[in-house]
Amino acid sequence: MTLMNTQTVRTRIRLARTGDSHALARMRYAFRAETGAVIETEVGFQKRCEPWMKKHLRAKNSWRCWIAESRENFLGNVWVQLIEKIPNPVSEGELHGYITNLYVIPKARGKGVGSKLLRAALNWCRTKKVDVVFLWPSQRSRALYLRHDFAIAEDVFELRGGKNSKQ
Ligand SMILES: CC(C)(COP(=O)(O)OP(=O)(O)OC[C@H]1O[C@@H](n2cnc3c(N)ncnc32)[C@H](O)[C@@H]1OP(=O)(O)O)[C@@H](O)C(=O)NCCC(=O)NCCS
């Protein structure tokens, strides 16, 4: 399985397997290297990311990953983590869904591949009766999520890096 660009013939979305971990870790590196200054070599990163992915794909517990592919080529991927809530006695889902690492290789972008991946992840969240699906969009990808019915939350607090402002 390669990550190379392709003339998209037909895009298939499928659940990732442990055997995909090598290619998935490469895509993860490509994604983060595209959007930030990396502080780790690709080889070093691969050594710790690939086993992490293998472990979580094998466990099939809280994480799932979907891959977009065309023939033998990987076009992109998306990951979802289910986060348990404390049981509650009202009619409210008891899971949250965290969507992350939505990535499509540059040459396959703008043809709906990212949307297909996102739909697969959201469909799964629906089958799991997820309460809130959340993610942090990049500036450029906001329109994509808005088109899939996401809204900007005004009732969420976040504390970056766990820092206490008084220290
Ligand atoms: C975001 C991304 C997965 C979308 O994949 P795609 O196959 O191009 O998606 P679609 O063709 O279904 O939809 C196109 C939409 O993707 C978004 N998009 C396009 N290029 C993008 C880019 N370089 N970075 C981020 N989002 C992008 C835009 O919202 C675009 O819609 P618009 O043209 O109306 O603004 C892909 O562009 C990508 O991998 N970007 C880099 C990684 C990234 O930013 N991921 C999102 C993290 S939150």
Side-chain angles (χ1 to χ4, degrees):
M1 190 70 71
T2 64
L3 300 186
M4 293 312 295
N5 75 80
T6 173
Q7 287 284 83
T8 304
V9 183
R10 198 186 189 103
T11 305
R12 184 167 80 110
I13 307 292
R14 65 164 173 86
L15 271 174
R17 303 181 281 263
T18 53
D20 299 314
S21 302
H22 181 78
L24 287 168
R26 285 188 61 199
M27 275 198 279
R28 173 67 177 168
Y29 192 87
F31 171 23
R32 294 321 305 267
E34 182 181 326
T35 54
V38 292
I39 55 164
E40 195 173 4
T41 64
E42 185 165 1
V43 173
F45 178 76
Q46 192 78 26
K47 266 192 195 148
R48 66 189 184 92
C49 186
E50 194 177 323
W52 184 95
M53 290 178 160
K54 210 168 261 177
K55 179 176 144 193
H56 289 287
L57 291 174
R58 184 179 296 122
K60 283 196 187 140
N61 45 24
S62 61
W63 285 96
R64 289 288 186 287
C65 168
W66 287 265
I67 287 173
E69 62 186 6
S70 174
R71 292 193 178 145
E72 288 300 294
N73 298 295
F74 271 20
L75 303 181
N77 73 132
V78 64
W79 289 69
V80 178
Q81 183 183 26
L82 292 181
I83 297 166
E84 284 183 57
K85 293 165 65 177
I86 295 174
N88 70 64
V90 297
S91 73
E92 198 176 283
E94 295 191 352
L95 293 168
H96 288 318
Y98 166 48
I99 294 198
T100 186
N101 203 40
L102 176 61
Y103 176 77
V104 170
I105 60 168
K107 291 200 172 159
R109 288 180 194 163
K111 298 171 192 164
V113 178
S115 297
K116 280 188 182 169
L117 283 164
L118 187 56
R119 274 198 295 273
L122 292 176
N123 285 340
W124 187 64
C125 288
R126 268 178 219 114
T127 68
K128 294 287 172 188
K129 301 194 179 359
V130 160
D131 183 18
V132 175
V133 180
F134 67 95
L135 56 84
W136 283 268
S138 61
Q139 194 55 38
R140 181 83 174 75
S141 63
R142 291 170 88 94
L144 172 66
Y145 298 117
L146 289 170
R147 274 201 294 275
H148 286 83
D149 298 333
F150 281 82
I152 300 162
E154 287 174 1
D155 56 354
V156 174
F157 277 19
E158 63 169 23
L159 181 62
R160 294 256 159 177
K163 290 194 188 85
N164 181 339
S165 60
K166 289 187 181 147
Q167 287 178 347

